[in-house]
Amino acid sequence: MTSRAVGAVWRVEWTKLGAQWKVRALLGACAAGPVAFVAAIRAQRSLPEDTLFGRGVAESGFATPLVVLGFAAIWILPVLTSAVGGDLFAADDRYGTWPTLLTRSCTRSEIFVGKLATALAFSSLAIAVLALSSLAAGVIGIGTQPLIDLSGTMRIEESALALVAGAWTSVLPAAWAFTAIAVFLSIATRSSAAGTGVPVVASLIMQLGTYIDGPELTRRLLLTSGFTAWRGLALEPRDLRPLVWSTVVSLAYFLVATGVAYRLLRRRERAG
Amino acid sequence: MERPAARTLTVLIAAAFLAACGPSAITRGRVEQAVAPTFANLVQVQLTRMGLGPVPSPGIHAVATCRRMTPGREDAGAGEWTCTLTWYGPNRTQLVDSYDVSVAPDGCYTASVGAGEGNLGGPTIPAPDGTRTRNVLYAFDGCITSTAR
């Protein structure tokens, strides 16, 4: 496997992504959504009090990215992380381009790594756009006043910014694991609908699992715990244990999904 | 789906459900250890917002005594709790306030001033500049730390 060949796959996939309206619409929504949210907050008097940091959203711009993250963890992140990964391999089946792809000078491993890297990069890009847009909308629309964290402590600008950055960065391992699952499903089912839809449904089922009042271990084994573990960063002193757990769990999901997906692709090679 | 895979999946789902039936991680001690220091910190914030001198958090010496109100166990589990907070105000007088605390299964909670509670004021308080600002002690959110016992 050579990095040059992987790079070639990467460039081709990004060119294809750039031409898709779905991809542009997703990134556009990530950029515009938080701006619309802040505009709505400024235009009305009611606050999203049922969400963590919702009470302080009109007082500090740093609350906006945390409210958006809390909401995104349930609905948006699973969609963003599987939208591209769930379609990358299935699209070649749908358009019948596999035979052409297999005759090029790239090996199956290089194609797999190039496509997987593209899917992971897109997930990261979409999350980064959403995070930066939320932060910019909050800071510009509301201001840089101190933020009251989940321990009731005032966080000044620098500390609040570090919390926001840490919170959004902490969801990346779980996001990459969801992307890997989407890639696996894309290869296993050869269906874009299954590749993009099943991870979202699985995420919602896991979210329902968190509503069961049981032992902490059960909740920590759910992949979606990686989308909420950032709350420990908003406590004083910081509670890093959920974050460490969720990172290890996400890594396990990622390795299993990637390993099985790669094996399936190799088998397909032998069958072909 | 092949039969062994379906069987493995069924066993995994059954194991997950059985594991979820264990004891709740939300205990009275954890709720009390979460609510009291958060309240003490928010008293500091409130005093600052009102233009009053700060009192060190240990000087506030907030102690919470909580009880679960949702049917079932009184000392563990998500649901509705009530917490009585004993604390010391800026002039060293002892104060007692009560909160209704709604604890979610994930350990995060919302504490709202209890019915009939008069010490802590309404949703807003007057700021030094004459405007009204949010009363951070009227309702607040927090999370139970995983290291608490």
Side-chain angles (χ1 to χ4, degrees):
Chain A
M1 185 162 59
T2 66
S3 57
R4 192 176 168 189
V6 172
V9 175
W10 163 280
R11 282 191 296 277
V12 168
E13 292 301 333
W14 274 104
T15 306
K16 281 156 59 180
L17 286 181
Q20 288 181 32
W21 69 267
K22 178 183 80 175
V23 171
R24 290 199 295 263
L26 267 178
L27 291 176
C30 287
V35 178
F37 171 73
V38 170
I41 290 293
R42 285 174 62 105
Q44 56 168 20
R45 298 186 73 178
S46 64
L47 300 169
E49 292 181 347
D50 53 346
T51 310
L52 290 176
F53 290 98
R55 289 175 210 285
V57 83
E59 295 173 356
S60 169
F62 297 112
T64 303
L66 298 174
V67 169
V68 171
L69 179 57
F71 179 71
I74 302 171
W75 303 103
I76 301 168
L77 294 184
V79 173
L80 290 181
T81 53
S82 57
V84 165
D87 187 50
L88 273 186
F89 287 89
D92 284 315
D93 284 307
R94 191 169 65 246
Y95 296 122
T97 45
W98 260 120
T100 313
L101 200 61
L102 297 181
T103 57
R104 310 312 296 176
S105 55
C106 294
T107 65
R108 309 297 179 278
S109 304
E110 287 160 353
I111 292 171
F112 179 79
V113 172
K115 281 177 175 277
L116 179 67
T118 304
L120 294 173
F122 177 81
S123 298
S124 309
L125 175 68
I127 289 171
V129 169
L130 188 59
L132 291 173
S133 171
S134 307
L135 181 62
V139 166
I140 295 167
I142 308 293
T144 57
Q145 301 88 336
L147 175 77
I148 300 174
D149 69 13
L150 296 177
S151 290
T153 311
M154 278 279 216
R155 297 213 184 200
I156 55 167
E157 201 171 319
E158 201 172 290
S159 174
L161 193 59
L163 168 60
V164 170
W168 277 91
T169 306
S170 75
V171 302
L172 285 176
W176 292 333
F178 267 108
T179 302
I181 291 171
V183 166
F184 154 68
L185 288 164
S186 177
I187 294 171
T189 63
R190 303 186 182 209
S191 159
S192 295
T196 54
V198 172
V200 176
V201 173
S203 162
L204 291 177
I205 291 171
M206 287 189 203
Q207 301 277 357
L208 286 177
T210 62
Y211 290 111
I212 298 172
D213 186 19
E216 216 161 294
L217 178 67
T218 317
R219 191 171 295 107
R220 284 184 182 174
L221 291 177
L222 298 173
L223 184 52
T224 45
S225 67
F227 290 152
T228 53
W230 62 269
R231 294 167 181 175
L233 298 173
L235 292 170
E236 194 58 49
R238 285 186 298 174
D239 183 11
L240 296 177
R241 193 187 287 184
L243 206 55
V244 172
W245 258 94
S246 70
T247 304
V248 172
V249 167
S250 299
L251 183 66
Y253 276 89
F254 178 84
L255 290 176
V256 170
T258 309
V260 177
Y262 181 67
R263 204 170 149 212
L264 282 177
L265 198 70
R266 298 290 295 177
R267 268 191 190 176
R268 186 186 286 189
E269 179 197 11
R270 282 199 292 274
Chain B
M1 194 181 290
E2 292 171 17
R3 275 191 179 179
R7 207 174 298 148
T8 309
L9 191 64
T10 310
V11 168
L12 281 175
I13 292 171
F17 271 96
L18 283 175
C21 293
S24 171
I26 297 159
T27 60
R28 185 169 70 185
R30 284 181 151 192
V31 174
E32 290 172 347
Q33 284 180 51
V35 172
T38 303
F39 173 82
N41 290 333
L42 287 170
V43 170
Q44 300 275 32
V45 173
Q46 188 86 308
L47 291 172
T48 309
R49 285 185 167 197
M50 293 172 76
L52 301 171
V55 177
S57 285
I60 292 168
H61 196 69
V63 176
T65 308
C66 301
R67 191 159 61 94
R68 187 166 177 262
M69 305 304 286
T70 304
R73 287 184 64 177
E74 273 194 5
D75 60 349
E80 300 306 316
W81 291 67
T82 183
C83 292
T84 303
L85 278 143
T86 309
W87 59 292
Y88 290 88
N91 52 1
R92 301 296 303 154
T93 50
Q94 193 185 42
L95 300 163
V96 179
D97 293 293
S98 69
Y99 277 91
D100 296 327
V101 183
S102 181
V103 186
D106 63 3
C108 289
Y109 64 86
T110 298
S112 313
V113 166
E117 178 61 61
N119 285 335
L120 299 170
T124 58
I125 52 164
D129 61 0
T131 60
R132 293 196 74 82
T133 183
R134 179 169 71 100
N135 178 357
V136 295
L137 295 175
Y138 184 74
F140 59 89
D141 299 312
C143 290
I144 295 169
T145 174
S146 69
T147 51
R149 293 277 167 248

